[in-house]
Amino acid sequence: MKKIKTFGTFFLFIAVVLCSIALPLWSAERDYVVERIIHPEFDKHKRYFDDPRPVFTNWSWKKNMPPEQYAVYASDPEVTKRLWAETIGFKAPDVVGKIAPEIKPGKYSYNDKEKYPGLKALMVPALYERFKPGVAPSLAGNFPEMEIVPTRQYPWNLKIAQATKDNAGQAKLDEKGYLISKTLRPGFPFPKPSGKFAAQQYLYNNRQNYITGEDSYGVIRQTGFSKNLKPDYGSKGIICYLRLQGRAVTPTRPDGFFDERAKARDETLNFRVEFYAPRDRFGDALLSTYYNDVDKLDTIFMYIGALRRVRKLSNTDTQDTTGGSDYTYLDSFGFSQKMSPTLYPYKYEIVEDREYLFPYTIDGSDYLTSKGAEWHGLKFERRPVVVLKLTQLDKNFIYSKRMIYVDKETFQILHAEMYDQKGRLWRTYTHLSYYDTGTGIHSMTKQLIQDHLDVHTSINQAYFMPTVGWSQRNKFDITSLQDAVK
């Protein structure tokens, strides 16, 4: 027995030494992320179900990020508020409160809907319909109560705000309302959308979005729910982003590009996810590159672990749902479809410009229940919103139209509705965002995607953290896509 233990110790030592030589991709910064953010640690601070703990208080960015990296993003919140209001021309609290003014901050139950008809006037129909208990058969994510809080101002990071102000008026659209990519500069391209192409300008601001920071790492957990409100699917993955164009917080070049390659190829963003659950998806990975050129299709590669093969998704493939979820590759963050007159022709319109009640998170204390798949602890606030209608001109595309609700202060998509070619509501998307006051950066925390035809729901929970210098080119090529998941 003693010899067996000795042999075991010896081989364990050899294995450790060999791994330290053979796995150079696991750099110190990647180890930090994996050790601190992936599933075991995330679950320790916020379980998927029945957990009202305020994850963004107990496990804040300031606590998690190395101090010198947090300092790169940190700024005086009051200075940032003044600059952002000057840049976009208003403060959110100053332009709301006109619709149903009798609805005051406070707690409301679904039993109050008849007592306060103003709630219906203030809420998107799809959200108002979900303001009830979770009783099967139905879609998951109903909320039987909510708290309305005073509207807050959400300015973007000071460096992003300054770049947006300095470069206002530089971005140009062509005669059809599509971006002339060489005119794009760091910051949001259209801080004050206006004119006949204002709808496109709002969407270009969203495409330029600095959500989660310029570069970021994170972990995402997804659960699917049947119409009986029972979990029937789950996945977990590590996600990282690398901004290739429009860098304002951590610029690597004066023109805002990450490197000469990004400028030459007109690249704007790298995105990557590695799945580590469930077992049959372990080793799968996805790699995307977005381009500004309106005629160049964004590329998506998938490494399928079971086949040990890399597959490039075609234009048609991107209209399929991702894994066992309820949304397509083009529905990420509400709308990730390239704006192109040739690839995806749409008619763009603004159909409403008004305030709506939408959920925002202060500390991440909202939670899902294991019984009834209800969403509790939600805090809603009045937000200035523009509603966009995108009518699809290609009859072969899966959707006939999209309705997109954009926050006018942050340019984030808060809610989206997708209709099939028969005009039926097919999918809805609702985004819950976290805002870090110290950095002026938004981060996606939950995405609720509902399939109204199949009566099925996917709910993503995520924890993202801005990074500085962690994401490099070698993490976003096909070779590393295969190597990193072995």
Side-chain angles (χ1 to χ4, degrees):
M1 181 64 70
K2 186 174 181 180
K3 288 184 178 180
I4 293 175
K5 287 184 177 180
T6 302
F7 258 119
T9 303
F10 173 76
F11 282 116
L12 177 61
F13 171 77
I14 294 298
V16 170
V17 171
L18 290 176
C19 285
S20 67
I21 297 172
L23 298 177
L25 286 174
W26 291 87
S27 58
E29 63 267 19
R30 185 184 173 93
D31 286 342
Y32 175 84
V33 175
V34 171
E35 291 172 4
R36 296 292 301 277
I37 295 183
I38 64 170
H39 164 55
E41 189 69 18
F42 187 25
D43 281 356
K44 188 185 301 183
H45 292 275
K46 188 75 172 182
R47 296 185 301 274
Y48 191 92
F49 291 110
D50 307 317
D51 192 346
R53 290 179 297 172
V55 63
F56 290 107
T57 299
N58 299 340
W59 209 38
S60 69
W61 288 351
K62 193 168 186 178
K63 291 180 180 178
N64 274 339
M65 291 176 67
E68 67 278 5
Q69 299 212 7
Y70 188 84
V72 172
Y73 279 91
S75 61
D76 185 329
E78 295 305 315
V79 174
T80 307
K81 286 180 180 180
R82 290 194 295 270
L83 178 59
W84 190 245
E86 180 183 342
T87 302
I88 65 173
F90 68 94
K91 297 178 183 178
D94 297 340
V95 297
V96 298
K98 300 175 178 61
I99 298 177
E102 71 277 9
I103 304 299
K104 305 294 184 182
K107 294 184 178 181
Y108 295 83
S109 162
Y110 73 98
N111 292 318
D112 297 325
K113 293 171 81 170
E114 290 187 11
K115 182 179 178 181
Y116 298 105
L119 290 172
K120 186 174 183 178
L122 278 169
M123 297 178 74
V124 174
L127 280 175
Y128 187 74
E129 172 62 25
R130 283 171 40 207
F131 188 18
K132 62 185 180 182
V135 179
S138 72
L139 294 161
N142 290 346
F143 50 99
E145 80 285 324
M146 66 175 177
E147 180 180 359
I148 297 177
V149 299
T151 298
R152 291 163 287 182
Q153 185 187 4
Y154 295 110
W156 279 98
N157 176 272
L158 184 62
K159 295 176 182 177
I160 296 171
Q162 189 65 59
T164 302
K165 180 182 178 182
D166 292 345
N167 293 317
Q170 296 294 312
K172 305 295 182 183
L173 302 178
D174 65 17
E175 67 279 1
K176 294 182 180 180
Y178 292 93
L179 182 70
I180 301 173
S181 61
K182 66 180 181 180
T183 68
L184 197 57
R185 300 290 185 271
F188 289 89
F190 304 103
K192 297 178 181 179
S194 61
K196 66 177 181 178
F197 298 131
Q200 286 101 311
Q201 292 174 10
Y202 276 109
L203 290 173
Y204 277 121
N205 283 340
N206 180 71
R207 187 173 175 89
Q208 184 78 344
N209 215 327
Y210 292 84
I211 191 166
T212 74
E214 286 186 336
D215 307 330
S216 61
Y217 268 84
V219 60
I220 188 165
R221 310 180 295 199
Q222 179 184 94
T223 299
F225 296 87
S226 69
K227 64 182 179 181
N228 295 318
L229 303 180
K230 301 295 184 182
D232 59 8
Y233 169 80
S235 68
K236 297 173 182 177
I238 301 170
I239 300 180
C240 55
Y241 288 90
L242 173 63
R243 177 171 289 276
L244 301 172
Q245 179 278 330
R247 300 182 70 88
V249 181
T250 58
T252 49
R253 292 163 53 99
D255 56 12
F257 283 97
F258 181 75
D259 54 22
E260 187 60 36
R261 171 182 162 185
K263 183 175 182 179
R265 300 181 62 185
D266 211 8
E267 299 171 331
T268 182
L269 183 73
N270 273 151
F271 162 75
R272 169 178 171 156
V273 57
E274 301 167 18
F275 295 97
Y276 58 94
R279 179 178 292 274
D280 61 357
R281 292 207 71 185
F282 184 86
D284 288 359
L286 181 145
L287 174 64
S288 299
T289 302
Y290 293 172
Y291 303 93
N292 287 320
D293 187 336
V294 296
D295 295 319
K296 189 172 184 178
L297 191 67
D298 298 333
T299 58
I300 302 177
F301 290 94
M302 283 205 68
Y303 178 75
I304 305 173
L307 301 177
R308 297 182 180 273
R309 292 289 185 274
V310 174
R311 178 189 176 195
K312 182 179 180 180
L313 273 62
S314 69
N315 195 354
T316 304
D317 292 332
T318 60
Q319 300 178 45
D320 296 336
T321 55
T322 62
S325 72
D326 293 287
Y327 60 100
T328 74
Y329 295 92
L330 304 179
D331 298 334
S332 300
F333 292 99
F335 180 75
S336 58
Q337 191 173 358
K338 175 181 281 292
M339 297 171 63
S340 168
T342 55
L343 299 172
Y344 302 113
Y346 276 107
K347 177 184 177 182
Y348 300 90
E349 303 172 83
I350 294 179
V351 294
E352 281 189 310
D353 186 346
R354 50 159 291 181
E355 61 185 287
Y356 277 106
L357 280 174
F358 273 107
Y360 268 74
T361 183
I362 299 174
D363 53 15
S365 57
D366 62 285
Y367 64 98
L368 292 169
T369 63
S370 54
K371 182 179 180 181
E374 294 178 348
W375 205 346
H376 286 257
L378 285 174
K379 294 179 173 61
F380 280 69
E381 60 181 79
R382 295 171 182 260
R383 300 300 305 170
V385 172
V386 62
V387 183
L388 311 180
K389 179 181 178 181
L390 279 61
T391 305
Q392 177 60 244
L393 303 180
D394 179 1
K395 299 303 180 182
N396 294 316
F397 191 70
I398 55 172
Y399 301 139
S400 62
K401 70 176 180 180
R402 296 177 184 262
M403 302 295 293
I404 298 177
Y405 295 72
V406 181
D407 190 305
K408 293 177 64 178
E409 182 177 60
T410 68
F411 303 123
Q412 289 193 77
I413 293 176
L414 304 177
H415 180 77
E417 300 171 355
M418 287 70 82
Y419 294 78
D420 70 5
Q421 286 292 346
K422 294 182 179 180
R424 298 175 298 180
L425 178 61
W426 187 355
R427 297 184 175 108
T428 55
Y429 164 97
T430 304
H431 180 143
L432 183 64
S433 182
Y434 164 68
Y435 178 76
D436 183 71
T437 305
T439 62
I441 294 294
H442 297 259
S443 176
M444 180 268 287
T445 63
K446 286 190 179 67
Q447 293 175 314
L448 184 144
I449 306 97
Q450 298 179 319
D451 186 326
H452 294 257
L453 299 182
D454 289 341
V455 193
H456 195 271
T457 308
S458 296
I459 301 179
N460 297 340
Q461 296 182 352
Y463 186 97
F464 284 96
M465 188 172 70
T467 61
V468 180
W470 293 6
S471 297
Q472 298 297 328
R473 280 286 191 180
N474 62 4
K475 291 185 174 70
F476 297 91
D477 58 36
I478 295 178
T479 301
S480 69
L481 190 66
Q482 295 171 294
D483 292 342
V485 295
K486 288 180 179 178

